[in-house]
Amino acid sequence: MQNENLDITEQKKPASRMKYLQLVDYINSLIEDGTLQIGDQIPSLNQLQTQLRMSKETLLKGLNYLLEMGVIEAIYRKGYFVKKVSINHSYHVFLLLDKMNVMREQIYRSIFKSLKDVGDIDIYFHHHNYKVFEKLIKENLGNYTHYIIATFLKEDVTDVLNLIPAEKRIIIDYNQQGLSGNYSCIYQDYGYDIYCSLLQLQDRLKKYEKLILIARPEAIHAQQVIDGFLHYCVKSELPYSIESNVEEKNFRRVTLIYYIFIQDNRSRSLPHHLKICRNDSNASFQYFFYSCVIIRNQTYFLT
């Protein structure tokens, strides 16, 4: 509700602070002393402009700062309302993941550990659903200081991601192409990773007659892994094949084969594949976990 008796002329503005931060200090002081409670409507833009003698541009800059910090929220055609009572942290982070698994949990815990004393994190999941992905981003534009996002969608999400200012955009795990501006990106290079992994194992691979890559087509990163696999096999002049599934009828007991799997959350389980492999006493198998990370920070790359 709106505090009808609020006298916004009572607070003094420190002259040394930038004007938009004077507004931030003012609103924050009203929250801290209990004049404004969670859910209360703050003074209107016109009221603030009249009483504080600031331009609308300055007031909007201050209100946007409070929005990014999660202190207030904007409700369409109603105004701004108090959302939380503290502004002690410097960062308010929007974390959007595709799903929760062991790797994603490690990412979350690492971010939380780094920011626990200086920032707040709100976590969301899109579950590979484009409409959910788009809705979550559009509804939260302007509400956070930084946006950390893992994509992994079949659809092109470039236009949606470009709605986020580049300096606030951090892409993780998958290198989304076509994004504008100088943004940060930490991602896995699946093709390079499998190529280097096979290169390190090449002495052990000499005993095998054939390399087989099991690549489920629905895996988002499958093509990158296939490209790296093909690059190694062609360069090493090794017989190979690429399959989309593992079937017992395709196994020959007299053949030594090295199996490489791409596991996807929608594919058949790894234990199913390994059980079939173990039925062939002459077959060896290896499951690769792709952990090669490349950091893209603004306009340069580190490996």
Side-chain angles (χ1 to χ4, degrees), residues 37 195 293:
Q37 305 286 335
Y195 173 80
V293 175

Side-chain angles (χ1 to χ4, degrees), residues 223-237:
Q223 189 55 55
Q224 295 180 41
V225 177
I226 290 171
D227 291 343
F229 176 77
L230 288 174
H231 179 52
Y232 174 80
C233 291
V234 172
K235 188 174 180 179
S236 302
E237 299 182 339

Side-chain angles (χ1 to χ4, degrees), residues 113-301:
K113 183 178 179 181
S114 299
L115 294 178
K116 65 178 181 178
D117 295 325
V118 295
D120 299 316
I121 306 172
D122 293 335
I123 185 169
Y124 303 86
F125 299 93
H126 58 74
H127 301 291
H128 309 281
N129 185 314
Y130 176 80
K131 290 184 178 180
V132 173
F133 180 88
E134 181 183 38
K135 184 173 184 288
L136 286 172
I137 289 181
K138 286 186 174 181
E139 286 184 347
N140 287 284
L141 287 174
N143 293 342
Y144 293 87
T145 61
H146 294 83
Y147 297 77
I148 303 176
I149 299 173
T151 55
F152 280 98
L153 285 94
K154 289 287 188 180
E155 297 85 355
D156 184 4
V157 296
T158 303
D159 290 341
V160 179
L161 290 174
N162 279 334
L163 294 174
I164 303 170
E167 67 275 10
K168 299 180 180 181
R169 188 196 314 138
I170 303 171
I171 307 301
I172 60 173
D173 204 20
Y174 184 75
N175 185 23
Q176 190 70 38
Q177 300 295 315
L179 299 184
S180 62
N182 292 330
Y183 62 97
S184 296
C185 184
I186 305 173
Y187 65 94
Q188 298 187 71
D189 189 333
Y190 299 97
Y192 178 81
D193 187 24
I194 192 171
Y195 173 80
C196 290
S197 298
L198 292 171
L199 200 62
Q200 292 175 10
L201 294 170
Q202 62 182 355
D203 289 339
R204 293 168 58 185
L205 295 176
K206 292 178 180 178
K207 67 178 181 180
Y208 296 100
E209 296 180 12
K210 187 177 184 180
L211 301 184
I212 295 181
L213 174 68
I214 310 299
R216 299 290 294 177
E218 62 267 29
I220 303 295
H221 56 290
Q223 189 55 55
Q224 295 180 41
V225 177
I226 290 171
D227 291 343
F229 176 77
L230 288 174
H231 179 52
Y232 174 80
C233 291
V234 172
K235 188 174 180 179
S236 302
E237 299 182 339
L238 289 174
Y240 67 89
S241 68
I242 300 172
E243 308 291 342
S244 61
N245 206 349
V246 178
E247 301 293 343
E248 291 188 56
K249 63 182 180 180
N250 295 331
F251 282 71
R252 292 182 297 154
R253 295 185 60 83
V254 297
T255 304
L256 289 171
I257 304 176
Y258 200 83
Y259 295 97
I260 305 166
F261 300 93
I262 300 177
Q263 177 74 358
D264 184 80
N265 66 306
R266 288 153 292 184
S267 68
R268 302 177 79 175
S269 66
L270 179 64
H272 169 80
H273 296 316
L274 300 188
K275 181 179 178 181
I276 294 176
C277 290
R278 290 192 181 102
N279 288 338
D280 186 342
S281 60
N282 291 316
S284 296
F285 53 85
Q286 174 70 42
Y287 175 61
F288 278 95
F289 176 75
Y290 302 101
S291 58
C292 177
V293 175
I294 290 182
I295 300 176
R296 178 191 187 278
N297 186 357
Q298 298 190 11
T299 56
Y300 56 87
F301 292 80

Side-chain angles (χ1 to χ4, degrees), residues 13-136:
K13 309 183 296 291
S16 60
R17 295 268 280 175
M18 287 186 289
K19 283 192 173 182
Y20 83 94
L21 291 177
Q22 293 175 25
L23 172 64
V24 171
D25 293 339
Y26 166 66
I27 296 297
N28 194 42
S29 68
L30 294 178
I31 295 172
E32 288 180 346
D33 68 17
T35 304
L36 287 174
Q37 305 286 335
I38 292 179
D40 284 351
Q41 185 175 5
I42 70 172
S44 68
L45 193 62
N46 289 335
Q47 190 179 9
L48 289 170
Q49 185 178 23
T50 300
Q51 299 294 336
L52 300 181
R53 297 177 182 177
M54 293 182 182
S55 68
K56 283 190 176 181
E57 182 181 358
T58 298
L59 292 171
L60 286 172
K61 188 174 182 180
L63 292 173
N64 286 334
Y65 180 90
L66 290 168
L67 281 169
E68 289 182 352
M69 299 306 298
V71 176
I72 63 174
E73 62 180 341
I75 299 180
Y76 183 60
R77 291 186 176 179
K78 290 187 177 181
Y80 298 94
F81 295 80
V82 178
K83 186 177 180 182
K84 72 176 184 179
V85 297
S86 174
I87 193 174
N88 296 327
H89 289 164
S90 302
Y91 303 101
H92 188 210
V93 177
F94 173 91
L95 176 60
L96 179 56
L97 302 177
D98 51 336
K99 59 189 176 184
M100 180 57 80
N101 55 22
V102 174
M103 183 178 181
R104 295 295 185 264
E105 184 176 356
Q106 290 175 342
I107 290 174
Y108 171 75
R109 290 185 180 279
S110 177
I111 295 172
F112 177 79
K113 183 178 179 181
S114 299
L115 294 178
K116 65 178 181 178
D117 295 325
V118 295
D120 299 316
I121 306 172
D122 293 335
I123 185 169
Y124 303 86
F125 299 93
H126 58 74
H127 301 291
H128 309 281
N129 185 314
Y130 176 80
K131 290 184 178 180
V132 173
F133 180 88
E134 181 183 38
K135 184 173 184 288
L136 286 172

